[in-house]
Amino acid sequence: MGIEEKLPSGFLLSTVESLAGYFRKGSLWPATFGLACCAIEMMTTGGPRYDLARFGMEVFRASPRQADLMIVAGRVSQKMAPVLRQIYDQMPGPKWVLSMGVCASSGGMFNNYAIVQGVDHVVPVDIYLPGCPPRPEMLIDAILKLHDQIQHTPLGVNAERAAQQREELALAALPTSHLKGLLR
Amino acid sequence: MPKFLDPVAGFGVTFATMFRKVVTEQYPEEKKSTAPRFHGRHVLNRHPDGLEKCIGCELCAWACPADAIYVEGADNTDEQRYSPGERYGRVYQINYLRCIFCALCIEACPTRALTMSNEFELADTSRAKLIYEKKDLLAPLLPGMVAPPHPLVPGTTEDDYYHGRVDRAVPEQGVAVPAGRHRGDREGQR
């Protein structure tokens, strides 16, 4: 992104990494984007009782240009999918996606032609949150797990190394068609 | 009141709110307990001697409106006995990215093998991690229980188990979990 990508690996980079992670997780602004019933729980989470402002997240941005976190709250219909992707594309990086509720995560109980069977078909998801709808505490828990992930995001050469490692693992992984699971 | 004082009266409400009780819950630091019958993560229960209650009948899977449960039963033999009856659940998976926590599976379960806990912190980073296997769902072995597979308490039948007449494991069944080695923390299992 900026100068932090050019830093040599070692003490300086790891310090900048943890600082950047701390700042990023402390000012994570979600996009105002509710699709269904999960959005009601998301609004409650922003309200006084659960108070997302405790984590620096009280401003739900109406413009995706000002948001870093997309909370996909609710079922994504086939018609909504391109809109959702556009909103994601309009968000400036670094950006994260939280798939809230079972419908967004996998289609949930709506296993039919109208609903996208998991929002990860459309955008990369960082954290999945089960529940129908998840209670506000569950959302806060997911957000805190995401914060932890953001805090430990590698930068610069470390990020390249992590990407390389991920690719090697993915190449060595058993293809889905060969997975047998527990079936005999 | 004169009209020009209206804005001041508005601020009066704001000012008075500062002295009212704060309703905010400090969630991760202070966890408020859920309602007693909250629908949280499932638990596969055990009989008092450690045998599993699940008989692999798949009624939970049939009742599930979201097709979140996958069960595969297998036959108990005298050498390998996991549950009192004829069959046990060899494979038991719940996909928490499908489960809507409606508890129809709990209602369907004929042996009360499946119940729900109050645990709800389930968020995870991949779809595969949110498919809970039998080992993740099984209740921990309490002190005095014997880890299956092991035979029934000598002289009892499966009916005694279902009617609650078996209340502890006996030494003939195997080595029991000693007291004090209580693995009550279910989160520690995963």
Side-chain angles (χ1 to χ4, degrees), chain A residues 34-105:
Chain A
L35 291 171
C37 25
C38 280
I40 308 295
E41 297 290 309
M42 188 172 72
M43 291 190 290
T44 314
T45 316
R49 182 153 184 164
Y50 297 98
D51 203 7
L52 271 182
R54 292 182 290 143
F55 312 106
M57 294 179 65
E58 72 276 28
V59 271
F60 278 80
R61 291 281 106 174
S63 159
R65 307 264 182 221
Q66 297 164 354
D68 334 272
L69 171 67
M70 183 160 80
I71 302 178
V72 185
R75 61 202 125 76
V76 183
S77 59
Q78 301 283 1
K79 204 166 180 177
M80 198 64 192
V83 182
L84 188 133
R85 178 71 211 194
Q86 191 180 6
I87 290 176
Y88 178 76
D89 288 339
Q90 284 171 343
M91 281 161 56
K95 52 192 170 185
W96 295 273
V97 178
L98 191 156
S99 164
M100 181 182 180
V102 290
C103 299
S105 303

Side-chain angles (χ1 to χ4, degrees), chain A residues 48-50 54 102 105-106 108 117-118 120 127-128 130 135 137-138 140-141 144-145 149 182-184, chain B residues 24-28 32 38 70 72 90 96-101 120-125 127 133:
Chain A
R49 182 153 184 164
Y50 297 98
R54 292 182 290 143
V102 290
S105 303
S106 76
Q117 295 299 301
D120 49 3
I127 195 143
Y128 297 86
R135 55 191 283 133
E137 280 108 327
M138 288 171 91
I140 294 174
D141 173 57
L144 290 176
K145 280 173 182 166
Q149 212 173 307
L182 291 166
L183 298 175
R184 274 179 291 194
Chain B
T24 308
E25 290 176 12
Q26 305 294 326
Y27 161 64
K32 255 186 101 183
F38 177 74
Y70 175 74
E72 206 179 288
R90 192 179 66 85
Y96 278 102
L97 288 186
R98 289 273 177 196
C99 175
I100 57 168
F101 299 94
F120 56 78
E121 291 160 336
L122 298 168
D124 221 321
T125 49
R127 281 198 186 201
E133 304 276 354

Side-chain angles (χ1 to χ4, degrees), chain A residues 158-174:
Chain A
N158 286 359
E160 277 165 33
R161 210 173 292 149
Q164 222 165 32
Q165 213 168 25
R166 270 201 305 278
E167 190 178 358
E168 274 162 27
L169 279 177
L171 285 173
L174 200 65

Side-chain angles (χ1 to χ4, degrees), chain B residues 3-157:
Chain B
K3 202 165 170 56
F4 69 91
L5 278 179
D6 281 357
V8 182
F11 279 118
V13 173
T14 313
F15 189 70
T17 309
M18 290 203 284
F19 299 102
R20 290 166 74 181
K21 195 166 164 277
V22 177
V23 291
T24 308
E25 290 176 12
Q26 305 294 326
Y27 161 64
E29 289 87 25
E30 293 163 35
K31 291 180 184 176
K32 255 186 101 183
S33 55
T34 54
R37 298 182 67 181
F38 177 74
H39 292 178
R41 203 205 67 187
H42 298 78
V43 181
L44 277 174
N45 296 309
R46 293 176 189 274
H47 285 292
D49 69 342
L51 284 178
E52 292 157 15
K53 282 189 177 175
C54 179
I55 53 170
C57 66
E58 300 183 19
L59 281 177
C60 45
W62 281 89
C64 184
D67 268 351
I69 307 183
Y70 175 74
V71 188
E72 206 179 288
D75 285 333
N76 279 317
T77 57
D78 287 335
E79 300 84 49
Q80 290 271 308
R81 174 168 291 283
Y82 292 90
S83 73
E86 264 176 53
R87 285 163 71 73
Y88 72 101
R90 192 179 66 85
V91 177
Y92 200 99
Q93 296 178 332
I94 297 183
N95 183 353
Y96 278 102
L97 288 186
R98 289 273 177 196
C99 175
I100 57 168
F101 299 94
C102 62
L104 288 181
C105 46
I106 311 305
E107 284 181 36
C109 187
T111 59
R112 290 292 279 163
L114 194 63
T115 51
M116 276 173 152
S117 67
N118 286 30
E119 187 194 324
F120 56 78
E121 291 160 336
L122 298 168
D124 221 321
T125 49
S126 80
R127 281 198 186 201
K129 283 182 194 163
L130 277 157
I131 299 176
Y132 279 42
E133 304 276 354
K134 191 175 162 187
K135 63 177 191 314
D136 307 319
L137 296 166
L138 261 179
L141 283 165
L142 298 177
M145 286 181 172
V146 181
H150 63 73
L152 300 180
V153 172
T156 61
T157 61

